[in-house]
Amino acid sequence: MKLIHLLFLFIFSISSAQENNILSRLYVLPNGTKIWYNIDGYSVTSENFNYSFDEKGLKKVFRKHSIEDTDVKTKDDHIVYNNLYVSKPQKVNDYQSQNSNYYFVENSNKTIDVIWFIKNGKTDKDTEEKLVNAIVENKIPKENYVPMKINAINFAGRTIELGNDCYWTFLNTVQCPYSGEMNWSVHKTLDDAKETIENQLNNTKSQKGGKVISEELVNIEFEGITTKAKKVIYDFKGVTSALAGMSGGKSLNIYYVAENVRDKNISCVMSFWNNDDINPQTKLPALLEKIIILK
């Protein structure tokens, strides 16, 4: 009986570890003095400050991140180095709140690393702690890094050739002029991917630069999987918008989809302007043609 119990614990420990293998979902992009990370719908930034982890040094770093004296600061015992943790939820709109979670860590050089997590909706402390430890212990493999200049992307396990015109507007957000734009994230669970999509949709609806003029469920093929996407048309007509002015477009076609592909839970938002180069046969621009087929 004791052997069976130990075996159960061993199997449970293995499955739990596999369940939250952050490296299988993590993308990393160095950007000047900062490093960007994408995982589970989080936007994460890390930065080192050459200050001592003491009252004077922390006060300077707190000021840079608008951390006030009244904000609660606690130590996270699951972080390998001395640290302070601050969480600052903020209501974004009527639909959702945005969580900003900060880890101020005394690294091995006795200076301060700041790892800042931003996510709309539910957060996952275990994932945050695992990533913080991987960052401060320098345990993220080079395979998780992506180059600043891109002609191809690793889209959840598949290499997609893009050519030379596309660029990052943020990590895992690709813009291809007149060929579409997309952002994506790989998640621990499909439910989390679906929640991220819903949050992005709600964020679109709350924007004041234009308005949603149509919203419908459509049948698509996403990376070879037959599924449904939420299609939204967002209209800028009659509205002064820097974004619309830059593109020359008047409306955006946006597709929101969450699906399990190649054993990865993916959230993905794809969009294109009405004046992009659209293939009349597929009714899509070049970038989106690489990802979806309209049914």
Side-chain angles (χ1 to χ4, degrees):
M1 188 69 180
K2 188 174 183 181
L3 179 61
I4 293 173
H5 180 64
L6 288 173
L7 183 61
F8 172 78
L9 288 177
F10 177 68
I11 293 171
F12 179 77
S13 298
I14 291 175
S15 64
S16 295
Q18 290 174 338
E19 213 173 77
N20 200 11
N21 176 13
I22 64 168
L23 297 180
S24 68
R25 313 192 304 276
L26 181 66
Y27 293 79
V28 186
L29 175 64
N31 182 31
T33 61
K34 300 178 181 179
I35 302 177
W36 293 341
Y37 309 81
N38 181 286
I39 185 172
D40 295 353
Y42 278 102
S43 293
V44 188
T45 305
S46 72
E47 186 173 11
N48 174 256
F49 293 89
N50 196 28
Y51 303 133
S52 298
F53 192 89
D54 54 26
E55 185 177 355
K56 183 179 178 181
L58 285 167
K59 188 171 286 188
K60 291 178 181 178
V61 179
F62 288 160
R63 192 178 303 122
K64 289 178 183 291
H65 289 84
S66 301
I67 305 298
E68 301 171 359
D69 292 342
T70 53
D71 290 323
V72 177
K73 305 166 187 70
T74 58
K75 181 177 180 179
D76 187 329
D77 292 331
H78 292 98
I79 304 302
V80 292
Y81 293 121
N82 192 22
N83 69 89
L84 287 174
Y85 166 76
V86 179
S87 181
K88 297 190 72 169
Q90 179 183 5
K91 187 174 181 180
V92 178
N93 51 53
D94 292 339
Y95 305 101
Q96 61 192 327
S97 63
Q98 177 178 280
N99 296 289
S100 296
N101 296 334
Y102 300 84
Y103 295 80
F104 301 89
V105 184
E106 182 181 28
N107 58 39
S108 58
N109 296 321
K110 302 300 180 183
T111 59
I112 302 173
D113 284 341
V114 180
I115 299 97
W116 175 19
F117 293 77
I118 301 176
K119 187 176 184 182
N120 289 347
K122 295 176 187 173
T123 59
D124 184 342
K125 199 74 163 63
D126 180 59
T127 293
E128 292 180 13
E129 291 164 346
K130 280 183 166 61
L131 181 52
V132 170
N133 283 332
I135 292 170
V136 298
E137 292 187 292
N138 197 27
K139 288 186 175 179
I140 298 176
K142 291 300 180 185
E143 304 88 78
N144 289 85
Y145 285 73
V146 299
M148 179 60 80
K149 188 173 181 179
I150 50 171
N151 52 29
I153 57 172
N154 173 8
F155 184 66
R158 180 170 78 94
T159 300
I160 298 178
E161 301 293 334
L162 297 177
N164 298 317
D165 295 330
C166 303
Y167 53 88
W168 301 115
T169 56
F170 199 69
L171 177 53
N172 281 23
T173 303
V174 173
Q175 172 75 57
C176 301
Y178 296 102
S179 294
E181 181 175 5
M182 63 181 285
N183 73 72
W184 78 96
S185 195
V186 181
H187 299 255
K188 185 165 67 171
T189 67
L190 185 56
D191 283 345
D192 189 57
K194 289 177 178 178
E195 183 188 35
T196 294
I197 286 300
E198 201 60 36
N199 286 334
Q200 289 203 52
L201 175 57
N202 287 334
N203 190 50
T204 299
K205 291 177 178 177
S206 69
Q207 296 299 310
K208 300 188 186 306
K211 62 179 180 178
V212 171
I213 59 172
S214 74
E215 178 181 340
E216 62 177 329
L217 273 177
V218 295
N219 295 313
I220 66 167
E221 191 175 294
F222 175 66
E223 288 291 279
I225 304 293
T226 299
T227 187
K228 291 184 181 293
K230 180 67 68 73
K231 179 186 177 182
V232 164
I233 297 179
Y234 191 81
D235 187 43
F236 288 91
K237 290 175 184 174
V239 179
T240 302
S241 167
L243 184 61
M246 284 166 50
S247 75
K250 297 296 183 183
S251 64
L252 270 174
N253 289 264
I254 313 171
Y255 294 88
Y256 301 82
V257 60
E259 191 54 77
N260 182 277
V261 176
R262 297 183 288 275
D263 292 325
K264 297 180 186 295
N265 301 305
I266 305 173
S267 64
C268 186
V269 178
M270 298 153 283
S271 64
F272 62 92
W273 290 97
N274 64 294
N275 65 335
D276 280 352
D277 296 328
I278 300 166
N279 184 331
Q281 292 184 320
T282 65
K283 299 180 181 178
L284 295 169
L287 176 61
L288 275 68
E289 283 182 325
K290 298 176 186 291
I291 311 295
I292 62 172
I293 298 172
L294 301 180
K295 297 291 190 179

